[in-house]
Structures are given as structure tokens and as C-alpha cells.
Amino acid sequence: MSVRPPCRLDIYFASEKPRAVILRRGPTQHVRMIAWNTKADTFQDGQWVKHRVYEAKCDLSPDGKHFAYFGFSNRQSQGQMTGGFAAVSEVPYFTALAILIEGSTWGHGGRFIDRHHVLCPYLHSDQLPPLPAPLRWVWHPNSFGIPRNKAPLSRDVRPSHFLLSSGKVAKIEPAAMERFLAAWPPVPKAPDLPKWCAVEEGCLYRIGPKGRRVLLRDFNSMEFEAIEAPYSGVVV
């Protein structure tokens, strides 16, 4: 009798609120999004998908309300085969408020500059699908979007501003801009865990005084179930 290996947990923490998103993967093509209130240690089990989600190419908004992710699916969406795609959704659901079809796996899911502005992963400004307010796409020639008929600037050059899809300059608070640009360019990477929590064999622990571990939850027993988002969007 074969023993199912433990699930994988990847966690993304909001910078402004005591909220986090847990991506629970296992088997490889089964991923669930779970919202975690890190103050009360309560969980909201969200939506599953049956396709690959690239954990290193995801981002959580500073207020913990929206999630930008990169996936790869062979299902049809909007009348075409998706392949690689970027999407923005409401936590804890994968149903996309907006989706950008990439086809390959070179892109990423977007990056939140603040709770409202999402850096466009890779497409031109005139190809961006609309995001519901108050979310807005932004782009810049030396980030990931390149205007037509213009040569891209070096990605190592920090931008002084970002543009909305309309071409107008995005109004971003200076403090938020400086935090975002501190690690420019925004290269996708796997999320790091803070020192006060740990993940091991599909279990989440809070680390207390003297390194004592307190089990918060074991996620291994979860089984796929079809869950619909409580809002309209693109199902991938």
C-alpha cells in the first residue's frame, strides 16, 4: 500500500494587515488557496484548481485582499488554450478578475506596488484587460511592459514613475513607491517564512518562546472539492 507524500505549503504575508495566503499543493496539479488570519490563527478554506501554479511567481496585496499568480493550464478560457497565464483574484479564490494569456512560462503573475496598483507582468499597455476598481494595472518601459515602436530600457534602471493603461501617470504614495523599488527589479522568487512560523510535512507551526513549536493546522487530509467564487470572473 503506497503512502501519499505530505502536501506542500507556500505562504505569502500581507505587509499592512495580519493576513496571509497559503497555497496548499498536492498532488502536483491540485492547488488550494487558504486565507490565514495571522493574529487570530483562523483559516478560511478557499478554491481549488487543477493546474500548475508557480509559487515563486505569485504576490499578495499589502492589505491581503487580492492575489496575483502565474499558472499553466491546458483548459480553454475565453475561447482559446491558455497555456501560461497571469491572473489577479480575490482571496481566497483563484477565479480571475482579469487574466493575461502568455502561452509560455516566461512571465509572472504581476507585482503589487500598493494595495491598488499592480505591475503588469509582460504585456503592452494597450493589451491589458480591465481590472475592477480600485485595482489598476501599471507598467513602465524598463519593467515588463514595452510600448510599441520603442526600444526597452535596461531593467536595472529604476523608474521614476509608473503609467496606467490609459497612459496617465499613476498616483502612488512616495513611501509605497520607495518600498517597491528598494528591491528593483522585481524578480519573482519563492516567499520566505518569518522566524515565528515553520512548515514541515504539510503542517503549519507557530514558534513560541525558546523555539517551542505549536501546531496550528495539519493540511494533509484535504481532498479536492469544487468551489465557486462569490463573484463573477474567469475560471481557469
Side-chain angles (χ1 to χ4, degrees):
M1 179 179 177
S2 62
V3 178
R4 186 169 67 176
C7 65
R8 170 173 173 163
L9 303 178
D10 290 275
I11 308 177
Y12 309 80
F13 293 88
S15 59
E16 298 178 354
K17 299 288 184 178
R19 300 172 179 169
V21 156
I22 300 172
L23 293 187
R24 184 258 185 224
R25 178 159 64 91
T28 302
Q29 300 297 328
H30 291 68
V31 185
R32 188 176 206 177
M33 190 187 305
I34 301 160
W36 174 22
N37 183 316
T38 59
K39 184 176 181 179
D41 283 336
T42 55
F43 302 91
Q44 181 185 357
D45 296 339
Q47 197 173 31
W48 290 84
V49 289
K50 288 185 177 181
H51 59 66
R52 182 74 169 91
V53 175
Y54 290 80
E55 296 84 2
K57 299 183 177 185
C58 303
D59 197 26
L60 180 62
S61 64
D63 58 4
K65 292 183 178 181
H66 295 96
F67 195 64
Y69 67 95
F70 188 86
F72 189 93
S73 172
N74 289 322
R75 292 181 58 188
Q76 279 200 343
S77 179
Q78 297 181 337
Q80 59 183 306
M81 301 301 290
T82 58
F85 65 92
V88 177
S89 66
E90 290 185 14
V91 174
Y93 304 96
F94 285 104
T95 295
L97 298 169
I99 187 169
L100 298 91
I101 307 291
E102 158 73 359
S104 71
T105 57
W106 287 97
H108 68 81
R111 289 292 180 270
F112 288 95
I113 299 176
D114 55 24
R115 63 178 62 185
H116 301 314
H117 297 94
V118 191
L119 178 63
C120 166
Y122 38 69
L123 297 184
H124 301 298
S125 62
D126 60 353
Q127 295 174 308
L128 294 177
L131 279 168
L135 296 177
R136 306 177 187 93
W137 290 113
V138 297
W139 64 281
H140 195 273
N142 60 322
S143 56
F144 290 87
I146 301 173
R148 291 180 176 177
N149 303 320
K150 290 186 179 181
L153 301 175
S154 170
R155 286 185 57 222
D156 294 329
V157 178
R158 294 189 359 157
S160 59
H161 59 271
F162 290 97
L163 302 178
L164 299 171
S165 57
S166 63
K168 296 181 179 180
V169 175
K171 296 180 179 179
I172 300 172
E173 292 292 331
M177 174 76 89
E178 188 59 33
R179 284 194 300 269
F180 184 76
L181 295 179
W184 186 266
V187 179
K189 63 178 182 178
D192 297 322
L193 291 178
K195 295 181 179 180
W196 52 266
C197 77
V199 168
E200 186 175 343
E201 295 188 344
C203 296
L204 175 63
Y205 298 87
R206 181 176 288 274
I207 301 177
K210 299 181 180 180
R212 177 173 170 266
R213 288 189 176 192
V214 176
L215 177 64
L216 297 182
R217 190 172 182 186
D218 183 340
F219 294 87
N220 284 297
S221 62
M222 288 184 170
E223 298 289 344
F224 179 88
E225 55 182 315
I227 296 175
E228 292 187 4
Y231 58 86
S232 59
V234 181
V235 179
V236 290

